[in-house]
Amino acid sequence: MTFAPEPTLTHGQPTKPASATAVLYCNLGTPDAPTAAALRPYLAQFLSDHRVIEIPKAVWWFILHGIILRVRPKKSAAKYASIWTDQGSPLKVWTAAQAAALAATLGQRGHGVAVRYAMRYGNPSIASQLAALKAEGVTRVLVLPAYPQYSGTSTASVFDAVYSWAAKVRRIPELRFVNNYHDHPGYIAALAARVRAHWAANGRADKLVMSFHGVPERTLHLGDPYHCECHKTARLLAEQLGITKEQYVVTFQSRFGKAKWLEPYTEPTLVALAQAGTTSVDVMCPGFTGDCLETLEEISMEAREAFLHAGGKNFSYIACLNDSPEWQEALADIAAQHLAGWPTEAGPDAQALAASRTSALAMGAAQ
């Protein structure tokens, strides 16, 4: 096996980077453009992941390339086009902004830590960002997924991408991984602050619907903790808000294929609520740290239409954490907790480097 070439090293004169410690903030990913041509390779990469689709490869290859990639790119492109912004994909915009805020907050707390963001599918890839950090002299990397609840379909897939990169590297940096933070006090407090702010500005609906991304039900029976962690997040958030079990409901969205997924499903639940006489709902997506296709199109557009068509009167979507100050502080708390024991004190050089990287990340988010 041929390993990737190592950065140039002058023996006897080791490099002294301004920061040898980094945080890699990883999200799911997004196509480069809202077009069928851009969706095709993105979906091919996403749906070829054995963590996402647990079907024998030979069988799935014919389904994916013979049917799905011939039909789905055009349909998905139309959905992406409906939420695309002048700055690009909302998911990428928010991920870049959160990484920039994380770098700034850690810097303000005295941590000389480089922060980059990466996408599991699409660009910038996890491998490219790890290679860039290594080239800069980083020797310690904390891998921080943007997924509060652990799932083999998402969190573990990020880790797979890191392992795949490391398998081709001669000198591997020290690596740490954040599995979850579904019950982290700062994360729960940030969610609660988001809901309270929405209620203060818009009033409170009859029911609070917490919609999490779905996964096949069989993963629960095979030992995936995702379902339990979603319900714990919901319970802790309800306690923070002071609401009872009768005042909120947990649902799961984004079902794909014909298999049974975690229930209850979000849209049918909203239709049933409207038909049973619930006139107003507040809907939020606690498992998404930034707004994206699944929240802006699937929930705020499609689910809204379904609820109103079924007889509901008022549908309010509560935005994701996005640029919430409470979330910026919580994300820094989570990173700092997992960085403990690694040297991260920020000297003048590290502070200057962190400032320049924060500026670069912010510019990337605005482009």
Coordinates of all heavy atoms in Angstrom, one line a residue, residues 16 30 68 92 148 159 179 185 203 213 222 257 269-270 314 328:
K16 N 7.1 24.4 14.5 CA 6.4 24.9 15.7 C 5.2 25.7 15.3 O 5.2 26.9 15.2 CB 7.3 25.7 16.6 CG 8.5 25.0 17.3 CD 9.3 25.8 18.2 CE 10.4 25.1 18.9 NZ 11.2 25.9 19.8
T30 N -23.9 18.6 1.6 CA -24.8 19.3 0.7 C -24.2 19.3 -0.7 O -23.0 19.3 -0.9 CB -25.0 20.8 1.1 OG1 -25.9 21.5 0.2 CG2 -23.7 21.5 1.2
I68 N -32.7 4.8 -8.8 CA -32.7 6.0 -7.9 C -31.9 7.2 -8.6 O -32.4 8.3 -8.7 CB -32.1 5.7 -6.6 CG1 -33.1 4.8 -5.8 CG2 -31.9 7.0 -5.7 CD1 -32.5 4.3 -4.5
K92 N -24.5 24.5 4.6 CA -23.1 24.9 4.5 C -22.9 26.3 5.1 O -21.9 26.5 5.8 CB -22.7 24.9 3.0 CG -21.2 25.0 2.9 CD -20.7 24.8 1.5 CE -19.2 24.8 1.3 NZ -18.7 24.4 0.0
P148 N -26.2 16.0 17.6 CA -26.2 15.9 19.0 C -26.5 14.4 19.5 O -26.0 14.0 20.5 CB -27.4 16.8 19.4 CG -27.5 17.8 18.3 CD -27.1 17.0 17.1
F159 N -17.0 9.0 11.6 CA -15.8 8.4 12.1 C -15.2 7.5 11.1 O -13.9 7.4 10.9 CB -16.1 7.6 13.4 CG -16.7 8.4 14.5 CD1 -17.2 7.9 15.6 CD2 -16.6 9.8 14.5 CE1 -17.7 8.6 16.7 CE2 -17.1 10.6 15.5 CZ -17.7 10.0 16.6
N179 N -18.9 11.5 20.6 CA -19.9 10.6 20.2 C -21.3 11.3 20.2 O -22.1 11.1 19.3 CB -20.0 9.3 21.1 CG -19.1 8.2 20.6 OD1 -18.0 8.5 20.1 ND2 -19.5 7.0 20.8
P185 N -26.1 20.0 29.2 CA -26.9 21.1 29.7 C -26.9 22.3 28.8 O -27.9 23.0 28.7 CB -26.2 21.4 31.1 CG -25.6 20.1 31.5 CD -25.1 19.5 30.2
G203 N -46.2 34.1 20.4 CA -47.2 33.4 21.2 C -47.0 31.9 21.2 O -46.1 31.4 20.4
H213 N -34.8 13.6 12.8 CA -34.6 12.8 11.6 C -34.8 11.3 11.9 O -34.4 10.8 12.9 CB -33.2 13.0 11.0 CG -33.0 12.6 9.6 ND1 -33.0 11.3 9.2 CD2 -32.8 13.4 8.5 CE1 -32.8 11.2 7.9 NE2 -32.7 12.5 7.4
L222 N -31.2 -3.4 16.7 CA -29.8 -3.9 16.6 C -28.8 -3.2 17.5 O -27.6 -3.5 17.4 CB -29.4 -3.8 15.1 CG -30.1 -4.7 14.1 CD1 -29.7 -4.3 12.7 CD2 -29.8 -6.1 14.4
G257 N -37.5 5.0 1.4 CA -37.7 3.6 1.1 C -39.0 3.1 1.7 O -39.8 3.8 2.3
T269 N -48.5 12.5 11.7 CA -48.9 13.0 13.1 C -49.5 14.4 13.0 O -50.5 14.6 13.7 CB -47.7 13.0 14.0 OG1 -47.1 11.7 14.1 CG2 -48.0 13.5 15.4
L270 N -48.9 15.3 12.3 CA -49.5 16.6 12.1 C -50.9 16.6 11.5 O -51.8 17.3 12.0 CB -48.5 17.5 11.3 CG -47.2 17.9 12.0 CD1 -46.3 18.5 11.0 CD2 -47.5 18.9 13.1
N314 N -53.0 27.3 12.5 CA -51.7 28.0 12.6 C -50.5 27.1 12.8 O -50.5 26.2 13.7 CB -51.7 29.0 13.8 CG -52.8 30.1 13.6 OD1 -52.6 30.9 12.8 ND2 -53.8 30.1 14.5
Q328 N -23.6 28.9 20.6 CA -22.2 29.2 20.4 C -21.4 28.9 21.7 O -20.3 28.3 21.6 CB -22.0 30.7 20.0 CG -22.5 31.0 18.6 CD -22.4 32.4 18.2 OE1 -21.8 33.2 18.9 NE2 -23.0 32.8 17.1

